[in-house]
Amino acid sequence: MESTEVVAAEINNLIANTQTMTLATLDSAGVPEASMAPFIYDLETHQFYTAVSGLSPHTAHLAAKKPTGIMIIADEQGAPQVLGRKRVSYTCSVHEIFRETEICHILYEQFKSKFGGIMELLFQLPDFRMFGLDPLSGRYIAGFGKAYTLKGDSIAPIGPDEIRRAAAS
């Protein structure tokens, strides 16, 4: 297994070179919804931010502040083996970033910088809302047989012993 510094750099590289994430949210009845959303990432706070339309079901789910799953996955086109693509997933706590706040304006500029003029148009729409997603725990898959658990700044390899212990719990 790679050193934790190498793994952290791989994760940061994957996040920096990806524009969208998959959201896994739950409605009030516990029915799952998978969707795609743009994101920006704050390397210092390790927090993700997304801007979503109020017309999408996942927006109401995020507004309910239930834990939300996210996954960022490498593009299929550049993957040596599509089934072994690098990917990072997190369970996150959620909070809304309200439009009238200073942080919302700062994040809006970052969204414009990353995604261009489309964000200016989208943010003019009254239904667009912004949310912060704070990772609680996660998993990084670096390829076949290379998996890591993520919690805070901790990165730990997952091997057969860890899988057996988890199954026994």
Side-chain angles (χ1 to χ4, degrees):
M1 289 285 176
E2 301 287 343
S3 73
T4 56
E5 293 83 16
V6 169
V7 174
E10 284 182 14
I11 294 168
N12 289 336
N13 186 52
L14 175 62
I15 292 169
N17 291 299
T18 308
Q19 295 188 20
T20 60
M21 68 173 128
T22 301
L23 291 172
T25 60
L26 296 172
D27 72 9
S28 59
V31 177
E33 170 87 18
S35 53
M36 182 275 304
F39 75 90
I40 56 175
Y41 179 69
D42 186 321
L43 193 56
E44 289 181 27
T45 65
H46 305 288
Q47 194 159 64
F48 293 87
Y49 297 95
T50 190
V52 292
S53 168
L55 302 176
S56 300
H58 59 242
T59 303
H61 306 166
L62 291 169
K65 299 179 183 172
K66 292 182 180 181
T68 294
I70 65 170
M71 182 170 64
I72 298 163
I73 188 166
D75 192 293
E76 289 182 3
Q77 300 295 331
Q81 171 40 260
V82 70
L83 300 179
R85 285 185 290 163
K86 292 182 179 185
R87 56 200 176 271
V88 63
S89 58
Y90 292 101
T91 300
C92 300
S93 62
V94 180
H95 66 277
E96 188 161 1
I97 310 291
F98 295 99
R99 282 184 183 245
E100 53 281 344
T101 62
E102 182 180 346
I103 185 69
C104 186
H105 297 292
I106 292 168
L107 294 170
Y108 165 69
E109 292 301 324
Q110 292 176 14
F111 270 101
K112 278 192 346 186
S113 176
K114 184 172 182 177
F115 295 97
I118 187 66
M119 294 313 284
E120 193 167 342
L121 171 67
L122 295 177
F123 274 99
Q124 288 176 9
L125 301 173
D127 66 298
F128 255 73
R129 296 166 71 177
M130 192 178 305
F131 293 89
L133 303 159
D134 187 24
L136 303 171
S137 63
R139 181 172 282 199
Y140 174 59
I141 307 299
F144 293 112
K146 294 190 213 172
Y148 302 84
T149 59
L150 311 171
K151 185 141 182 126
D153 289 334
S154 171
I155 299 173
I158 301 171
D161 293 338
E162 291 82 11
I163 293 169
R164 277 192 287 278
R165 276 194 292 271
S169 318

